[in-house]
């Protein structure tokens, strides 16, 4: 795949994507961005945002969340999928951030994935949101990338590597949000495939 073609396809895909707020966006701090991304795994962005607003009203930073009672956190985030595990993750993550990073998440992929509840996708989405470079591969991007022949792989890490080779670093941060908004805008598989088949013709 040629990068210029892929960029044209990405720009066309953007035309079919909505402008809804995603879970990683419009928070007051990098700490809140990271925690909201952890919470958003396998959960609707709309739900994550509502829960995040409630959570951060009481626990706005790593220092406060690190000291939180886990049962109270469970009550606050119980609309989130896997809320019991995520309650443990975000408290433990906050403790590490407070102890080792003065409450501020590091801008380093290898350091981020050492934090509780943070995998490569979460780390990459965080990095792209805070002005560093990353491509977080979720189900939406995986689907789009395979359909548009940006990758032949199904493994998220291999897809990430293919996309980072295909697109220049300055364009990495566009890729995930456009694909996610496209997937959230068009929930019908038939409609998505029809649009992607047309975009695939772009040369």
């Amino acid at each position: 795949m040629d990068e210029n073609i892929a960029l044209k396809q990405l720009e066309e895909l953007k035309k079919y994507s909505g402008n809804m707020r995603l879970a990683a966006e419009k928070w007051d701090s990098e700490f809140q961005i990271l925690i909201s991304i952890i919470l958003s795994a396998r959960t609707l962005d709309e739900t994550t945002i509502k829960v995040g607003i409630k959570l951060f009203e009481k626990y706005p930073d790593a220092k406060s969340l690190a000291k939180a009672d886990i049962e109270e956190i469970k009550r606050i985030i119980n609309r989130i999928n896997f809320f019991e595990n995520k309650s443990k993750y975000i408290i433990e993550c906050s403790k590490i951030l407070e102890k080792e990073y003065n409450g501020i998440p590091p801008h380093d992929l290898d350091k981020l994935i050492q934090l509780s509840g943070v995998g490569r996708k979460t780390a990459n989405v965080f990095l792209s949101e805070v002005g560093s470079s990353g491509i977080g591969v979720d189900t939406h991007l995986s689907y789009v990338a395979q359909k548009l022949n940006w990758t032949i792989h199904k493994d998220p890490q291999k897809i990430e590597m293919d996309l980072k080779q295909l697109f220049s670093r300055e364009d990495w941060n566009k890729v995930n949000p456009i694909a996610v908004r496209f997937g959230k805008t068009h929930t019908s598989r038939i409609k998505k495939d029809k649009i992607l088949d047309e975009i695939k013709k772009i040369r």
Side-chain angles (χ1 to χ4, degrees):
M1 170 65 70
D2 178 84
E3 181 184 3
N4 289 328
I5 293 173
L7 277 173
K8 289 178 185 177
Q9 292 176 340
L10 184 65
E11 287 305 308
E12 187 66 18
L13 187 70
K14 187 177 180 180
K15 296 176 184 177
Y16 292 94
S17 302
N19 58 1
M20 71 284 289
R21 177 184 174 184
L22 301 180
E25 299 173 338
K26 299 181 180 178
W27 297 106
D28 292 337
S29 68
E30 293 186 1
F31 166 76
Q32 293 182 7
I33 291 170
L34 181 62
I35 296 301
S36 70
I37 299 169
I38 294 172
L39 294 178
S40 73
R42 306 289 291 275
T43 300
L44 292 173
D45 289 59
E46 309 90 271
T47 303
T48 302
I49 291 165
K50 290 178 182 176
V51 170
I53 290 170
K54 188 176 179 182
L55 176 69
F56 298 139
E57 281 177 354
K58 187 161 188 180
Y59 304 100
D61 50 34
K63 186 176 182 179
S64 56
L65 188 52
K67 298 175 181 176
D69 176 73
I70 191 168
E71 295 304 321
E72 182 172 10
I73 298 303
K74 286 179 185 179
R75 286 193 293 272
I76 293 173
I77 72 165
N78 63 13
R79 294 175 59 196
I80 296 282
N81 287 331
F82 312 112
F83 71 91
E84 292 189 338
N85 284 337
K86 289 179 182 177
S87 296
K88 298 174 190 174
Y89 294 156
I90 64 174
I91 291 174
E92 185 59 31
C93 180
S94 298
K95 288 178 179 178
I96 297 170
L97 289 175
E98 185 63 18
K99 181 180 178 181
E100 298 185 17
Y101 301 104
N102 200 30
I104 302 170
H107 289 202
D108 180 281
L109 184 88
D110 291 330
K111 291 179 179 178
L112 284 166
I113 61 177
Q114 298 302 313
L115 298 171
S116 180
V118 179
R120 288 190 71 88
K121 186 206 82 171
T122 295
N124 273 303
V125 172
F126 171 79
L127 289 171
S128 67
E129 188 61 32
V130 298
S132 296
S133 300
I135 301 179
V137 178
D138 61 2
T139 53
H140 296 296
L141 180 52
S142 177
Y143 187 78
V144 167
Q146 291 173 59
K147 281 289 182 179
L148 294 180
N149 296 328
W150 293 348
T151 183
I152 61 171
H153 295 110
K154 294 184 178 180
D155 176 74
Q157 190 165 341
K158 290 180 179 178
I159 294 172
E160 177 193 332
M161 295 302 110
D162 284 345
L163 296 179
K164 285 182 174 178
Q165 288 181 348
L166 176 60
F167 292 98
S168 299
R169 181 178 284 269
E170 65 258 28
D171 295 311
W172 286 3
N173 295 353
K174 302 176 185 177
V175 180
N176 175 273
I178 290 175
V180 171
R181 286 190 170 96
F182 173 76
K184 289 174 66 63
T185 301
H186 306 284
T187 55
S188 164
R189 178 68 64 90
I190 294 172
K191 186 169 185 179
K192 276 193 286 195
D193 285 351
K194 185 177 180 180
I195 294 170
L196 292 172
D197 284 343
E198 287 301 310
I199 292 175
K200 194 157 55 176
K201 297 175 184 177
I202 292 174
R203 289 293 181 267

